[in-house]
Amino acid sequence: MAKRHEFYYTEEKDIHFIRPIEIIKEHPEVRNYIGKNPYTFIAVTGLVLFQFGMAFMVKSLPWWGALIAAYVIGAFVVHALFVMVHECSHNLLFQRKQLNTLAGIFANSAMFFPSSVSFQRYHLKHHAHQGIHELDMDLPSNTEAKVANNTIIGKAVWLLFYPIVQTLRLPRMKEIKHVDKWVLLNFVVVVGVDVAIWFLLGPVAFTYILASLFFSVGLHPLGARWVQEHFLTSDEVQETHSYYGPLNIVAFNVGYHNEHHDFPSVPWNKLPMVNKAGEKWYKGIASHNSWVLLWLRFLFDRNISVYSRMLRRRNEKKVKS
């Protein structure tokens, strides 16, 4: 299979600005699902405490034991915390934006790398400008796509270092303020927690926290989520896919991605209700039922590469990075 040398491009309007209107016309009750879920903060608190508890429990293990614990347990906890940060970025916990930002920082405190405040800003741009390279940080850069492309090793390394890869995309987001008091607060809290873990619990516990981050979004079946959401895995047209498998239970329904993009103001617990109301639309498009199989397919299927993403042009200029 020959390598691709560019992304896919479309002139079509983002379906997520069209389909919700059609769904609401036939099912106006969907409007009632929009709102806040303050009980989500209970889940945030439980996950943070559990992750710190795991760090305490593994501190006396050999380093390889910490890695196993991170792969088998920690990855799922941090992935769930990513979903909680995502909920906070949409202000789906509390009425006041500041409280949601603080809740996101708290969730981020057990995730090793300070990212919740920055994520809040670039993620909202992703919803508003999906596929536009200068505004959608979810899109790979030309450099990472060229390096990884459709080789097994390239895609495996790309997934393994995905947290770093995402960070390297920041410079192209020129319309987002990268540093302010909230970003600094986020940095101080998370780095302060990391330092405390190193000195109070030791390097093995520190390794567990770090490895949990990399496994949660990287070379792990959970990493298939990033492929599932917007890679062109079914054809060269459908740019958003949902996942309806059992891991939604521990991932707070984050797999309902078409439903989320159609109705980003609906909290995680009501996304299945959106799916039921919009059954006519959602059953008619491709979806995934296994992150494990998708993860393996992404790695070994030469027809899927890091170039398998849909872009939209801005100002009729082809994007460079």
Side-chain angles (χ1 to χ4, degrees), residues 20 23 27 29-31 33-34 244 256 258-267 269-282:
I23 292 175
H27 297 278
E29 71 273 13
V30 172
R31 294 182 184 276
Y33 306 153
I34 296 172
Y244 299 126
Y256 288 80
N258 267 300
E259 294 83 348
H260 167 64
H261 264 267
D262 288 349
F263 299 96
S265 295
V266 173
N269 58 304
K270 294 185 178 180
L271 290 176
M273 300 164 69
V274 172
N275 173 266
K276 186 175 180 180
E279 183 177 21
K280 181 176 75 174
W281 291 267
Y282 298 127

Side-chain angles (χ1 to χ4, degrees), residues 41-301:
F41 190 70
I42 297 175
V44 172
T45 303
L47 288 165
V48 169
L49 294 178
F50 182 86
Q51 184 68 344
F52 290 150
M54 282 295 302
F56 177 81
M57 291 175 65
V58 304
K59 66 186 180 69
S60 299
L61 295 177
W63 65 268
W64 54 265
L67 291 180
I68 292 174
Y71 200 88
V72 175
I73 300 175
F76 291 92
V77 178
V78 174
H79 183 267
L81 284 170
F82 266 115
V83 181
M84 298 294 95
V85 167
H86 174 259
E87 291 289 297
C88 293
S89 75
H90 285 280
N91 301 309
L92 294 177
L93 277 67
F94 307 112
Q95 293 295 333
R96 292 179 58 190
K97 180 179 178 181
Q98 293 88 340
L99 290 178
N100 288 282
T101 302
L102 289 171
I105 293 174
F106 177 56
N108 195 191
S109 67
M111 298 166 62
F112 186 82
F113 186 80
S115 60
S116 65
V117 175
S118 297
F119 176 82
Q120 180 182 50
R121 294 168 184 175
Y122 73 67
H123 182 68
L124 296 180
K125 288 281 188 182
H126 162 65
H127 275 267
H129 306 285
Q130 182 173 314
I132 298 177
H133 221 253
E134 303 95 330
L135 298 171
D136 185 355
M137 192 171 154
D138 186 71
L139 289 166
S141 68
N142 283 320
T143 300
E144 61 190 88
K146 182 178 180 180
V147 171
N149 209 290
N150 66 348
T151 65
I152 297 172
I153 294 177
K155 289 186 286 187
V157 171
W158 182 77
L159 274 179
L160 179 62
F161 293 103
Y162 194 69
I164 296 174
V165 167
Q166 280 190 314
T167 304
L168 294 176
R169 297 172 186 171
L170 275 172
R172 81 168 190 247
M173 306 296 288
K174 301 184 185 303
E175 297 186 17
I176 294 178
K177 191 173 184 179
H178 297 304
V179 180
D180 63 10
K181 64 180 182 180
W182 286 105
V183 173
L184 292 175
L185 175 62
N186 192 177
F187 180 86
V188 169
V189 169
V190 177
V191 173
V193 168
D194 294 340
V195 172
I197 289 173
W198 178 274
F199 284 103
L200 296 177
L201 300 181
V204 174
F206 184 87
T207 298
Y208 167 78
I209 295 293
L210 173 61
S212 294
L213 166 69
F214 274 85
F215 291 146
S216 71
V217 296
L219 196 59
H220 187 287
L222 290 171
R225 172 188 159 194
W226 314 112
V227 180
Q228 163 243 309
E229 290 181 345
H230 294 296
F231 273 69
L232 301 172
T233 53
S234 58
D235 53 36
E236 297 180 4
V237 177
Q238 186 178 328
E239 54 187 312
T240 304
H241 294 76
S242 289
Y243 159 77
Y244 299 126
L247 288 179
N248 273 316
I249 297 172
V250 294
F252 294 88
N253 293 328
V254 74
Y256 288 80
H257 207 60
N258 267 300
E259 294 83 348
H260 167 64
H261 264 267
D262 288 349
F263 299 96
S265 295
V266 173
W268 65 271
N269 58 304
K270 294 185 178 180
L271 290 176
M273 300 164 69
V274 172
N275 173 266
K276 186 175 180 180
E279 183 177 21
K280 181 176 75 174
W281 291 267
Y282 298 127
K283 278 206 169 182
I285 56 178
S287 61
H288 298 285
N289 292 310
S290 172
W291 273 338
V292 175
L293 292 179
L294 179 60
W295 179 61
L296 294 173
R297 181 185 166 202
F298 174 72
L299 290 174
F300 295 103
D301 188 344

